[in-house]
Structures are given as C-alpha cells and as structure tokens.
Amino acid sequence: RPVYGELRGGHPVRAAPGSSRSAEGKVMVIIKLGSLFDGIGGFPYAGTFYGIIPVWASEIEPWPIKVTEKHFPNMKHLGDNNS
C-alpha cells in the first residue's frame, strides 16, 4: 500500500519510494549519500546529524580513507573516480 504524507490543499502527497511511516504515523524518507572527493568525510559526518545515511565515498589518499573507515565502517570506498 502506498505511503502518503500530510494533506496539502486537500490532496494527499505521495511519499518517495523507500519511505515508511514512523510510530507517530508521519512519513519518513530515507536519504542516502554518496560522496565524491570525500577527504576525511566531513560532509557524510554532518549528514548523519540529519538522518542521512552515508553509503559510498570516493577518495584516493590513504590517510583520509583510514579516517572515514574508522568513523563509517559500513561505508563503501570506491577509490579513484577516473577509472
């Protein structure tokens, strides 16, 4: 069954695919993040404060990759984006 958001102008707003309802009945949208030229993962880190899920990152320097692997063990590292 489709998930709908709050009524706007008397019409239900259909939620995006991958959405679900919270315990309060509100629509929850899952936002996932891919990060190019990731560095030490500052943007994925900030996104986690707003419920954004970091999924993948592209970085070629070894030290920044180790930092993001420590903070985001489930995030996939794709390496060089030129290939």
Side-chain angles (χ1 to χ4, degrees):
R1 122 179 181 217
V3 178
Y4 290 93
E6 296 181 15
L7 294 176
R8 292 190 185 154
H11 301 286
V13 177
R14 188 168 185 167
S19 301
S20 60
R21 287 196 181 273
S22 68
E24 299 85 30
K26 295 184 179 180
V27 173
M28 298 171 44
V29 177
I30 299 169
I31 300 173
K32 296 180 181 179
L33 169 70
S35 182
L36 291 171
F37 317 108
D38 190 55
I40 60 170
F43 194 66
Y45 178 72
T48 61
F49 288 97
Y50 298 96
I52 298 171
I53 301 168
V55 179
W56 60 265
S58 177
E59 178 58 61
I60 59 172
E61 296 294 325
W63 182 77
I65 292 171
K66 287 181 182 180
V67 172
T68 55
E69 285 176 338
K70 179 181 178 183
H71 294 289
F72 303 105
N74 297 325
M75 185 165 61
K76 184 175 181 178
H77 289 271
L78 302 178
D80 191 355
N81 63 7
N82 288 323
S83 50

Short mmCIF file of all heavy atoms in Angstrom, two decimals, residues 3 6 20 31 34 38 40 43 48 55 76 78 82:
data_model
loop_
_atom_site.label_atom_id
_atom_site.label_comp_id
_atom_site.label_asym_id
_atom_site.label_seq_id
_atom_site.Cartn_x
_atom_site.Cartn_y
_atom_site.Cartn_z
N VAL A 3 2.48 4.90 0.72
CA VAL A 3 2.61 5.73 1.91
C VAL A 3 2.36 7.18 1.50
O VAL A 3 2.92 7.66 0.54
CB VAL A 3 4.03 5.59 2.50
CG1 VAL A 3 4.20 6.48 3.71
CG2 VAL A 3 4.31 4.14 2.85
N GLU A 6 1.35 14.30 4.68
CA GLU A 6 0.25 15.10 5.18
C GLU A 6 -0.54 15.69 4.02
O GLU A 6 -0.03 15.86 2.92
CB GLU A 6 0.80 16.22 6.05
CG GLU A 6 1.49 15.71 7.29
CD GLU A 6 2.01 16.84 8.15
OE1 GLU A 6 1.60 17.99 7.96
OE2 GLU A 6 2.83 16.56 9.02
N SER A 20 8.72 5.22 4.65
CA SER A 20 7.91 4.42 5.56
C SER A 20 7.28 5.35 6.57
O SER A 20 7.55 6.54 6.58
CB SER A 20 8.77 3.36 6.25
OG SER A 20 9.78 3.98 7.00
N ILE A 31 17.18 9.04 3.22
CA ILE A 31 18.09 9.72 2.31
C ILE A 31 19.46 9.06 2.43
O ILE A 31 19.99 8.92 3.53
CB ILE A 31 18.20 11.22 2.63
CG1 ILE A 31 16.84 11.88 2.52
CG2 ILE A 31 19.21 11.89 1.71
CD1 ILE A 31 16.81 13.32 2.97
N GLY A 34 26.18 9.58 -1.36
CA GLY A 34 27.45 9.18 -1.96
C GLY A 34 28.32 10.42 -2.00
O GLY A 34 27.84 11.52 -2.30
N ASP A 38 35.96 12.79 -1.11
CA ASP A 38 35.45 12.74 0.25
C ASP A 38 36.35 13.35 1.31
O ASP A 38 35.85 13.85 2.32
CB ASP A 38 35.15 11.28 0.60
CG ASP A 38 34.40 11.14 1.89
OD1 ASP A 38 33.33 11.77 2.01
OD2 ASP A 38 34.88 10.43 2.78
N ILE A 40 38.23 13.62 4.60
CA ILE A 40 38.08 12.87 5.85
C ILE A 40 36.62 12.62 6.21
O ILE A 40 36.30 12.25 7.34
CB ILE A 40 38.80 13.56 7.01
CG1 ILE A 40 38.26 14.96 7.25
CG2 ILE A 40 40.30 13.58 6.79
CD1 ILE A 40 38.75 15.61 8.52
N PHE A 43 31.40 15.90 5.06
CA PHE A 43 30.01 16.01 4.60
C PHE A 43 29.18 14.81 5.06
O PHE A 43 28.07 15.00 5.59
CB PHE A 43 29.98 16.17 3.09
CG PHE A 43 28.64 16.60 2.57
CD1 PHE A 43 28.13 17.85 2.88
CD2 PHE A 43 27.89 15.76 1.79
CE1 PHE A 43 26.88 18.25 2.41
CE2 PHE A 43 26.64 16.14 1.32
CZ PHE A 43 26.14 17.39 1.64
N THR A 48 24.92 12.79 8.97
CA THR A 48 24.39 11.86 9.97
C THR A 48 23.59 12.57 11.06
O THR A 48 22.73 11.97 11.68
CB THR A 48 25.51 11.02 10.62
OG1 THR A 48 26.44 11.89 11.27
CG2 THR A 48 26.22 10.17 9.58
N VAL A 55 26.58 6.05 2.18
CA VAL A 55 26.64 4.73 1.56
C VAL A 55 27.99 4.47 0.91
O VAL A 55 28.56 3.39 1.06
CB VAL A 55 25.50 4.57 0.52
CG1 VAL A 55 25.57 3.22 -0.15
CG2 VAL A 55 24.16 4.76 1.18
N LYS A 76 31.08 2.11 1.82
CA LYS A 76 31.92 1.51 0.79
C LYS A 76 32.85 2.56 0.19
O LYS A 76 32.40 3.66 -0.14
CB LYS A 76 31.05 0.91 -0.30
CG LYS A 76 31.80 0.17 -1.36
CD LYS A 76 30.86 -0.50 -2.33
CE LYS A 76 31.66 -1.26 -3.36
NZ LYS A 76 30.79 -1.97 -4.29
N LEU A 78 35.13 3.57 -2.90
CA LEU A 78 35.26 3.23 -4.32
C LEU A 78 36.63 3.59 -4.90
O LEU A 78 36.94 3.16 -6.00
CB LEU A 78 34.17 3.93 -5.11
CG LEU A 78 32.74 3.62 -4.68
CD1 LEU A 78 31.75 4.41 -5.52
CD2 LEU A 78 32.47 2.14 -4.75
N ASN A 82 38.39 8.15 -11.62
CA ASN A 82 38.79 8.29 -13.02
C ASN A 82 38.70 6.98 -13.80
O ASN A 82 38.81 6.99 -15.01
CB ASN A 82 40.23 8.82 -13.13
CG ASN A 82 40.29 10.28 -12.73
OD1 ASN A 82 39.39 11.04 -13.02
ND2 ASN A 82 41.35 10.66 -12.06
#
